[in-house]
Amino acid sequence: MNHLLEPRLRRLVAENLGVSLDDLTSDVSLTDDLAADSPDLVELALALEDEFGLTIPELTIAEVRTYGDLVAAIVPLARTAAEERPAMEPLRVWVRVLRPAGFGGVLERAEWLTPYAAETIIEHTLRAGSGARLEVTVAEDRGEPGLRQVQQQFARLSGRGVAVDVHRDRGHKVNRAA
């Protein structure tokens, strides 16, 4: 699980601390080398909790000194959180990424919302730039839990200048064989 989790963790730490991915070696000090202060670490902890669906005890963050310490602390927490969550098959979604007015271009796709697909959608949306709009239509068959799951997956885009609209599709039936 460490090899699957670490790239997501690395990206999130780099974004939150405003550093390069290459700066995040296992022995780099978050506070001394990367100049992260207590509020930065609290914000990072909240972002990690949102990203991985876990709860990070305050003491855990207080004891973390290096990026390697952070990885070592988060992996077991993420593993436990994943084991506690019921396994859900991916949702079928229709996605539209609209560039800011005057810049043209639209990306439209329909697919099963796997973790890889979600990351790809996020990357495409961020490339569209600040002021872009992400519209996600969720198949009706999963109800409110499915809608909330998708809203949580894309919530961080709002902080990056992207308007996010997630809604339920009431007119299409999902073809499970698609």
Side-chain angles (χ1 to χ4, degrees):
M1 175 159 191
N2 186 10
H3 69 283
L4 299 174
L5 176 68
E6 197 277 334
R8 289 172 58 199
L9 179 63
R10 179 179 297 269
R11 177 191 45 77
L12 198 63
V13 171
E15 285 177 4
N16 275 267
L17 298 183
V19 299
S20 163
L21 294 172
D22 296 332
D23 291 337
L24 298 174
T25 60
S26 63
D27 60 343
V28 69
S29 169
L30 299 175
T31 54
D32 296 336
D33 299 327
L34 303 180
D37 57 16
S38 292
D40 292 331
L41 295 177
V42 169
E43 283 185 37
L44 177 60
L46 292 173
L48 292 169
E49 288 179 345
D50 284 346
E51 177 77 12
F52 300 112
L54 50 88
T55 301
I56 303 173
E58 255 183 67
L59 183 60
T60 300
I61 289 298
E63 292 176 346
V64 167
R65 298 287 174 248
T66 66
Y67 175 70
D69 293 343
L70 183 65
V71 172
I74 297 303
V75 168
L77 292 173
R79 183 175 293 130
T80 301
E83 289 169 357
E84 291 173 356
R85 275 192 303 273
M88 291 182 72
E89 69 179 66
L91 293 165
R92 182 74 170 167
V93 295
W94 293 267
V95 177
R96 228 167 76 144
V97 178
L98 304 160
R99 292 187 182 275
F103 291 98
V106 173
L107 168 72
E108 293 186 75
R109 58 198 291 168
E111 64 187 296
W112 294 103
L113 190 60
T114 63
Y116 175 79
E119 285 301 315
T120 302
I121 291 165
I122 289 169
E123 288 173 17
H124 284 287
T125 305
L126 290 174
R127 274 193 231 126
S130 183
R133 180 174 181 80
L134 173 64
E135 296 175 356
V136 182
T137 304
V138 179
E140 185 178 16
D141 64 339
R142 280 299 229 340
E144 202 59 34
L147 193 64
R148 277 195 307 273
Q149 173 190 353
V150 174
Q151 287 169 333
Q152 289 172 350
Q153 281 184 292
F154 297 112
R156 65 186 165 145
L157 289 172
S158 296
R160 303 282 301 269
V162 174
V164 179
D165 175 26
V166 177
H167 55 273
R168 187 175 303 121
D169 177 49
R170 299 189 189 284
H172 295 90
K173 293 293 180 199
V174 176
N175 180 357
R176 291 271 174 216

